[in-house]
Amino acid sequence: MQVLVINGPNLNMLGIREPDIYGRKTFADLENYIRGEAARLGVDVTLFQSNHEGAIVDAIQQALGRYQGILINPGAYTHTSVAILDALKAVQLPTAEVHLSDISTREAFRQFSYVSLYAQKTICGKGFEGYSEGLEWLAGNA
Ligand code: DQA
């Protein structure tokens, strides 16, 4: 099974950005963790990160016919992007949404997710482990 893993804006700053919320591990640590968990689960992953909404829309569109599932942490676009929601609805791939922090207990503006209007599974507040849980869910449901 092939899964496209998308990390959105500022996730490349992990380890530097707001360590009290996101921890001190770096984005490279996260990518290594995802690769390791994917290997353990027998899932083939492609890792993509962008700070640009349109680039994320392009990546989702290009996943059609190439991947059997999408694992996405849309970063701040979670709370603003109808375009990312529409791209997910267009390709209709099984999708798991992951957030390192628990967005349901943070600022009011983080408590709504456009992506959740399509994603079949959402995992929040479990740090890196959320990515593993998302891959596991996709492996069993895609
Ligand atoms: C995040 C939560 C978002 O609200 C925030 O904008 C991020 C990261 C998370 O992983 O907890 O960039 O998606």
Side-chain angles (χ1 to χ4, degrees):
M1 171 190 200
Q2 295 190 305
V3 171
L4 177 62
V5 179
I6 300 174
N7 278 298
N10 298 307
L11 287 156
N12 58 313
M13 296 293 282
L14 281 180
I16 297 166
R17 75 181 293 212
E18 302 179 271
D20 293 348
I21 297 172
Y22 299 113
R24 294 195 182 273
K25 289 189 182 160
T26 66
F27 185 62
D29 293 335
L30 176 61
E31 291 203 317
N32 286 335
Y33 174 82
I34 295 168
R35 284 200 189 91
E37 287 302 288
R40 185 179 68 79
L41 295 163
V43 174
D44 198 351
V45 283
T46 299
L47 304 185
F48 175 77
Q49 190 275 330
S50 178
N51 295 322
H52 303 276
E53 185 176 20
I56 294 170
V57 169
D58 287 344
I60 293 167
Q61 290 183 6
Q62 287 160 14
L64 187 59
R66 293 194 174 96
Y67 296 93
Q68 288 78 54
I70 294 176
L71 178 63
I72 183 167
N73 182 344
Y77 290 138
T78 304
H79 319 295
T80 62
S81 183
V82 178
I84 290 174
L85 170 64
D86 283 351
L88 291 169
K89 288 169 95 169
V91 301
Q92 290 285 307
L93 287 168
T95 297
E97 172 187 7
V98 61
H99 300 282
L100 294 161
S101 65
D102 183 359
I103 56 174
S104 70
T105 60
R106 295 183 62 193
E107 303 97 316
F109 66 86
R110 293 188 203 274
Q111 293 180 15
F112 176 76
S113 165
Y114 282 100
V115 169
S116 289
L117 299 178
Y118 175 77
Q120 294 83 43
K121 174 85 178 165
T122 300
I123 303 144
C124 296
K126 297 191 175 173
F128 284 14
E129 276 176 43
Y131 287 77
S132 177
E133 201 174 312
L135 285 178
E136 205 163 350
W137 183 86
L138 286 166
N141 291 276

